[in-house]
Amino acid sequence: TRRRFGLYWSILRNAITKYKPNIRRRVLSLMSLPVIRRYTLAAPAALNVFNNLTDDETGLTQYLILTGNTILDIVNDPDPAAGLRYEFVLLKNGNQTPVRIFSSTISPTTAGRVAVGAINMTAGQYQWSGAQRAGAVAATSIIVKYAQPLN
């Protein structure tokens, strides 16, 4: 039994030594800092017409993620003026997802704010699209907080 225990111990020790670097790498990848991006919807030509939002950092309307990510939160920046209402939709690979956000529910200044996250995202090409639903046509912006950096 002592011999058998020694054999098992050496196999276990070799396995731990062999896979320790992968464990460290995985733990470090889980410690990514959240990323905040701002998207702007230009003043639309008419109400109820969806247009793509532009990423203020990159100037692009779409982004590609190769690994899973999560949307943690979304807020207006700044809040739309009184009487203005917007609707935002997340598109994946050109198709609408079930994710719909309304400007009246993501105001950072109201006590009745509806928390959006966490919304899981799989690999694919994403776009934010938005339409103004009420009020005089005007541009608006939203801030989106992702769990990990975008590619």
Side-chain angles (χ1 to χ4, degrees):
T1 58
R2 183 178 270 183
R3 202 177 222 181
R4 197 176 288 163
F5 177 76
L7 176 65
Y8 291 140
W9 177 249
S10 67
I11 291 170
L12 180 62
R13 186 181 49 202
N14 289 340
I16 290 171
T17 306
K18 181 179 179 182
Y19 293 107
K20 192 183 285 184
N22 291 337
I23 292 170
R24 279 191 202 133
R25 208 173 303 130
R26 175 165 277 175
V27 168
L28 288 175
S29 71
L30 293 175
M31 295 172 44
S32 298
L33 295 174
V35 172
I36 296 176
R37 294 302 260 281
R38 185 174 191 256
Y39 298 93
T40 299
L41 176 65
L47 295 177
N48 302 316
V49 176
F50 278 90
N51 292 307
N52 293 333
L53 279 74
T54 304
D55 183 337
D56 290 359
E57 185 176 323
T58 64
L60 302 174
T61 60
Q62 56 194 5
Y63 57 97
L64 175 70
I65 61 170
L66 302 174
T67 59
N69 206 338
T70 304
I71 295 174
L72 300 175
D73 200 8
I74 302 172
V75 294
N76 292 319
D77 181 47
D79 269 341
L84 300 180
R85 297 285 180 262
Y86 297 89
E87 180 180 341
F88 305 101
V89 178
L90 183 63
L91 306 176
K92 180 182 179 185
N93 299 327
N95 299 316
Q96 282 190 6
T97 65
V99 178
R100 262 180 208 288
I101 312 296
F102 300 94
S103 62
S104 57
T105 63
I106 58 172
S107 171
T109 59
T110 61
R113 183 172 177 271
V114 178
V116 174
I119 300 169
N120 291 326
M121 301 167 66
T122 57
Q125 188 173 20
Y126 288 88
Q127 291 174 291
W128 282 104
S129 184
Q132 185 172 349
R133 297 299 194 183
V137 292
T140 192
S141 295
I142 59 172
I143 291 179
V144 181
K145 181 178 179 183
Y146 297 96
Q148 299 177 23
L150 302 175
N151 297 344

